[in-house]
């Protein structure tokens, strides 16, 4: 019996996280192809390897730095890479075994504890990179445009404290369905759990909160990074400031812009899709009990796009470092990167 065959009116605990999509035809060729175990395994291994490699490079680079601004930036990058790595590790440890074993989720997890944990992980490890990207953009914005608004640059300890606050806030967000606001439910093709796109008041509020927070983080990153890039471009084109060019600032901004572009491409389709689904279903409040099949498949596609964010993030730092760029473009010589943008 599939989850969709369960009677939604029986009031059982199973209805809390099962029955949102119909899997009565478990041998559907389309479902078999889209739920290929090798696809998920390849995604997971590539992402884990990329983040582990980036973490090693980050730790190696941090030991050689004397610039406090650069050191704090590497702390934020390290927090981002660790978040992406742990996100892939936690979710893959549940999703990949399902694709190989095809276990009956309702029998393995009748109390929805595993589903709630996986849903929490999807939200926590999803929001963290977006919030960290906005935090990094804000830190660089004030470092470049308001150099005298702070007595000193952000120390490593303070940077880690900020990363911890982002993790804590994302954790509270992910716990909301467990505390009663919204629900985590099993999603097509039955291998993962996520927030529920159905016209229930709690689900609507949580979906809007998740989507709006993500969109706000992306837009905030865009504003901060745009102003910072414009400021750096003005300095580079100021003939009197040629000797005061700050290559370190430019390197950090190139990496930030890369992270922002990847986050925008990978996340905005999902966030906009969630907004559209929730707002379109408001008139059908309490009537719709199951997502349409096409919407289920679209949600899976958008989630897989989000997975690419965790895979590509580390390569932004790996590839867009001065050590790499100088090999590609030998004319890029290191110059003093002292905080002398404003004499």
């Amino acid at each position: 019996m599939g989850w969709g065959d369960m009677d939604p009116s029986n009031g059982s605990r199973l209805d809390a996280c099962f029955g949102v999509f119909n899997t009565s035809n478990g041998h559907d060729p389309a479902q078999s192809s889209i739920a290929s175990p090798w696809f998920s395994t390849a995604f997971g291994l590539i992402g884990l390897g990329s983040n582990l490699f980036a973490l090693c490079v980050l730790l190696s680079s941090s030991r050689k730095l004397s610039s406090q601004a650069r050191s704090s930036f590497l702390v934020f990058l390290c927090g981002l890479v660790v978040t992406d790595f742990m996100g892939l590790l936690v979710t893959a440890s549940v999703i990949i075994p399902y694709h190989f074993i095809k276990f009956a989720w309702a029998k393995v997890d009748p109390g929805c504890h595993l589903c709630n944990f996986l849903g929490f992980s999807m939200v926590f490890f999803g929001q963290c990179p977006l919030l960290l990207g906005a935090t990094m953009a804000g830190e660089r914005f004030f470092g470049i445009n308001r150099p005298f608004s702070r007595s000193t640059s952000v120390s490593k300890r303070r940077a880690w404290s900020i990363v911890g606050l982002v993790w804590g806030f994302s954790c509270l967000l992910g716990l909301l369905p467990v505390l009663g606001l919204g629900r985590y439910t099993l999603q097509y093709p039955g291998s993962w759990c996520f927030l529920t796109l159905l016209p229930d008041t709690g689900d609507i509020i949580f979906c809007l909160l998740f989507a709006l927070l993500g969109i706000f983080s992306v837009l905030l990153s865009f504003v901060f990074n745009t102003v910072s890039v414009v400021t750096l471009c003005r300095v580079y084109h100021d003939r009197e400031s040629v000797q005061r060019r700050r290559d370190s600032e430019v390197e950090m901004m190139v990496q930030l812009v890369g992270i922002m572009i990847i986050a925008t491409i990978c996340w905005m389709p999902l966030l906009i899709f969630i907004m559209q689904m929730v707002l379109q279903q408001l008139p059908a409040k309490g009537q719709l009990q199951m997502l349409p099949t096409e919407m289920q498949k679209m949600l899976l596609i958008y989630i897989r796009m989000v997975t690419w964010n965790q895979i590509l993030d580390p390569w932004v730092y790996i590839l867009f470092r001065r050590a790499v760029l100088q090999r590609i473009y030998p004319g890029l010589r290191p110059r003093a990167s002292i905080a002398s943008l404003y004499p």
Side-chain angles (χ1 to χ4, degrees):
M1 181 178 69
W3 323 142
D5 296 327
M6 296 177 183
D7 182 5
S9 63
N10 61 13
S12 69
R13 181 65 181 88
L14 290 175
D15 291 337
C17 61
F18 301 117
V20 174
F21 75 95
N22 187 1
T23 60
S24 56
N25 186 5
H27 302 286
D28 181 12
Q31 181 175 330
S32 299
S33 62
I34 201 169
S36 169
W38 307 112
F39 187 86
S40 299
T41 303
F43 259 55
L45 291 178
I46 293 172
L48 290 172
S50 299
N51 282 281
L52 193 59
F53 180 44
L55 188 59
C56 293
V57 175
L58 274 169
L59 294 176
S60 175
S61 300
S62 63
R63 299 191 187 101
K64 304 174 185 178
L65 287 177
S66 58
S67 168
Q68 187 164 314
R70 182 63 180 164
S71 296
S72 62
F73 182 78
L74 287 186
V75 168
F76 290 121
L77 269 179
C78 188
L80 178 64
V81 171
V82 168
T83 302
D84 286 339
F85 177 83
M86 290 304 299
L88 286 168
L89 182 64
V90 170
T91 55
S93 64
V94 177
I95 294 173
I96 292 178
Y98 169 83
H99 286 304
F100 280 100
I101 304 173
K102 298 290 185 183
F103 57 82
W105 201 301
K107 294 181 180 179
V108 173
D109 183 36
C112 293
H113 302 302
L114 180 61
C115 187
N116 284 332
F117 171 74
L118 186 56
F120 164 82
S121 300
M122 297 288 289
V123 170
F124 174 79
F125 292 113
Q127 280 290 347
C128 272
L130 298 179
L131 293 173
L132 283 173
T135 302
M136 293 162 66
E139 193 276 335
R140 283 295 79 217
F141 169 82
F142 288 107
I144 293 173
N145 296 276
R146 299 289 185 269
F148 301 118
S149 64
R150 303 172 300 173
S151 57
T152 57
S153 299
V154 177
S155 64
K156 279 188 175 181
R157 179 176 296 181
R158 186 178 178 185
W160 276 118
S161 298
I162 295 173
V163 172
L165 287 175
V166 171
W167 285 343
F169 179 80
S170 300
C171 182
L172 289 176
L173 178 69
L175 286 174
L176 288 180
V178 180
L179 299 176
L181 182 64
R183 294 175 299 157
Y184 289 130
T185 50
L186 193 67
Q187 307 290 334
Y188 178 87
S191 57
W192 59 293
C193 293
F194 195 47
L195 45 81
T196 307
L197 300 178
L198 290 178
D200 176 77
T201 302
D203 294 331
I204 290 173
I205 294 174
F206 184 63
C207 288
L208 289 176
L209 184 61
F210 176 83
L212 289 174
L213 183 60
I215 292 172
F216 176 75
S217 299
V218 172
L219 293 179
L220 194 62
S221 298
F222 177 80
V223 172
F224 280 148
N225 288 334
T226 300
V227 175
S228 299
V229 168
V230 169
T231 301
L232 287 178
C233 287
R234 281 166 47 193
V235 172
Y236 260 102
H237 288 87
D238 182 359
R239 293 182 180 179
E240 296 179 0
S241 303
V242 169
Q243 298 302 319
R244 296 196 299 272
R245 291 177 179 175
R246 300 198 295 178
D247 290 333
S248 181
E249 299 287 359
V250 174
E251 178 188 15
M252 287 187 280
M253 284 312 307
V254 168
Q255 292 169 351
L256 263 182
V257 170
I259 291 171
M260 179 191 69
I261 292 174
I262 290 173
T264 302
I265 294 174
C266 294
W267 270 98
M268 288 303 282
L270 173 65
L271 298 175
I272 293 174
F273 174 77
I274 292 174
M275 290 284 294
Q276 288 178 336
M277 285 292 296
V278 171
L279 295 178
Q280 287 175 0
Q281 291 179 8
L282 280 176
K285 183 177 178 182
Q287 299 177 8
L288 190 64
Q289 298 295 329
M290 187 179 298
L291 279 178
T293 303
E294 290 304 316
M295 296 299 101
Q296 298 168 19
K297 293 181 179 179
M298 289 298 296
L299 180 60
L300 178 62
I301 292 172
Y302 289 139
I303 283 291
R304 285 185 170 172
M305 287 179 63
V306 167
T307 304
W308 277 104
N309 184 72
Q310 296 172 309
I311 296 174
L312 296 176
D313 266 348
W315 288 102
V316 172
Y317 174 71
I318 293 171
L319 297 178
F320 293 99
R321 291 177 296 134
R322 276 180 292 174
V324 175
L325 295 176
Q326 284 166 11
R327 293 181 182 179
I328 300 174
Y329 180 54
L332 185 64
R333 297 294 179 222
R335 293 180 290 269
S337 57
I338 306 172
S340 57
L341 184 60
Y342 299 92

